[in-house]
Amino acid sequence: MSGALLAGQLRRRLTLQTPTTMTDASGVQSRSYGNGPQVWAHIRTLRLSSAYGPDRQEGVVTHHITFRALGAFGAGYRFALGARVFEVLSFETCEGVPLFMRAYCQEIQP
């Protein structure tokens, strides 16, 4: 998909889930997610998955999610669509259209 989107292509209403890391008394960290704003998005399923970087935490990109740009957003966030959850591995501004962002996500299997 190119950077230009039509309004009708943003068909899925996703809930952005923001991460919160907590440390207990023994120093063990745990991460939980809270529901944030809802965004209209276009989800593109990839035929072939792509692995990123041997020197980074490796994840397999299974979906591209394109949505209107948000101020607070980053890797580690998640999108929820009903029972489906997509973890954001990386993201970028769509070429030529800074109003939109594209997230490279991995669908989390329950």
Side-chain angles (χ1 to χ4, degrees):
M1 167 178 284
S2 68
L5 288 173
L6 299 174
Q9 291 176 299
L10 302 175
R11 296 181 187 165
R12 307 284 185 178
R13 192 165 189 181
L14 307 178
T15 300
L16 181 65
Q17 296 182 332
T18 56
T20 304
T21 303
M22 301 178 140
T23 305
D24 65 13
S26 62
V28 176
Q29 291 187 342
S30 63
R31 178 177 279 189
S32 63
Y33 292 87
N35 287 339
Q38 291 187 330
V39 296
W40 289 100
H42 173 79
I43 300 175
R44 179 176 163 222
T45 303
L46 302 177
R47 290 185 184 183
L48 299 174
S49 56
S50 307
Y52 282 92
D55 59 340
R56 294 181 234 154
Q57 181 178 5
E58 192 168 309
V60 177
V61 174
T62 59
H63 295 77
H64 291 171
I65 298 178
T66 306
F67 58 99
R68 288 192 180 272
L70 297 168
F73 182 76
Y77 280 60
R78 299 191 319 189
F79 287 107
L81 176 63
R84 297 175 70 187
V85 177
F86 303 91
E87 181 179 5
V88 176
L89 301 176
S90 65
F91 65 96
E92 66 182 358
T93 302
C94 290
E95 53 197 57
V97 187
L99 183 62
F100 293 99
M101 298 179 85
R102 181 174 298 120
Y104 299 91
C105 302
Q106 176 178 9
E107 186 167 8
I108 300 170
Q109 301 297 324

